[in-house]
Amino acid sequence: MYKQILDNKMPKQAIKYDYIHHCLNIVGILVLYVLFVYLWNKFEWWDFLIYPISILALGIIVFGFITPVIRMKNTSFEIGDRFLEIQNGLYFQKRTVYPFDRIQSIKLEHGPISRRLDIYFIEVITAGNRRLLPMLNRETAEQTRTMIMQKVKEVTDDV
């Protein structure tokens, strides 16, 4: 049966993490924008160049404050008997199913900001690619990691 939203969703701290991450990106965008304005004045580039660059920078900043809420609603995963299913996407939903016999390793990752907010990432590495599961708190991330590793060990198929 097809589920609209899968069982495991991101915690509320994920929005805080996304906002802090976006604010750090805004600092970088503003530095680049100031550098562009300085070069625009110094080299007397065409006047119309400032308008699209300003609109683009403002659009990136505004879009960054809207996407965490949408991402939190639309991102989830589920651990089945024979597969791991991940659903994500902002406006267009994408579901990916990974059979446990294809999973090679699982990594638990975190950085200084995510550690402070108790947010962890689980990276699933398969033969073809790497995939991050949605952000999870520490307990859930460790339980999920051990559960996936148990399922991978139970696989008897030889690929």
Side-chain angles (χ1 to χ4, degrees):
M1 186 165 127
Y2 184 79
K3 292 183 183 176
Q4 199 67 4
I5 297 175
L6 301 175
D7 291 339
N8 300 312
K9 294 185 64 80
M10 294 193 310
K12 298 283 184 192
Q13 299 99 321
I15 290 180
K16 286 182 189 176
Y17 175 79
D18 273 346
Y19 282 144
I20 291 171
H21 189 262
H22 182 64
C23 287
L24 293 174
N25 287 339
I26 286 174
V27 170
I29 290 170
L30 291 177
V31 167
L32 290 175
Y33 184 74
V34 167
L35 179 67
F36 173 76
V37 170
Y38 170 75
L39 292 174
W40 179 68
N41 282 330
K42 182 175 177 152
F43 295 115
E44 298 176 359
W45 288 341
W46 295 320
D47 289 339
F48 70 87
L49 281 179
I50 197 73
Y51 300 115
I53 298 298
S54 300
I55 291 171
L56 181 67
L58 185 65
I60 290 171
I61 290 170
V62 169
F63 187 69
F65 284 111
I66 296 170
T67 56
V69 177
I70 298 170
R71 185 179 318 154
M72 186 175 165
K73 291 179 183 177
N74 295 335
T75 304
S76 58
F77 71 97
E78 185 174 314
I79 300 171
D81 291 336
R82 300 189 57 151
F83 59 86
L84 171 68
E85 187 172 0
I86 303 170
Q87 174 181 342
N88 64 351
L90 289 178
Y91 301 109
F92 300 103
Q93 292 296 305
K94 178 180 176 183
R95 279 195 173 189
T96 311
V97 177
Y98 295 103
F100 287 126
D101 59 352
R102 294 286 183 187
I103 295 176
Q104 293 180 343
S105 67
I106 306 286
K107 288 185 186 176
L108 192 63
E109 297 181 350
H110 54 86
I113 298 170
S114 63
R115 191 177 325 122
R116 182 130 190 153
L117 292 172
D118 194 34
I119 296 289
Y120 289 78
F121 303 94
I122 297 178
E123 183 179 22
V124 177
I125 300 171
T126 64
N129 61 1
R130 300 169 185 260
R131 188 61 182 252
L132 281 176
L133 266 64
M135 297 179 234
L136 300 167
N137 58 18
R138 183 179 183 154
E139 296 168 9
T140 310
E142 288 176 357
Q143 289 172 357
T144 303
R145 182 180 167 274
T146 56
M147 189 182 309
I148 293 173
M149 288 307 292
Q150 276 182 338
K151 298 280 187 176
V152 169
K153 287 178 184 178
E154 291 173 3
V155 172
T156 57
D157 297 340
D158 189 23
V159 178

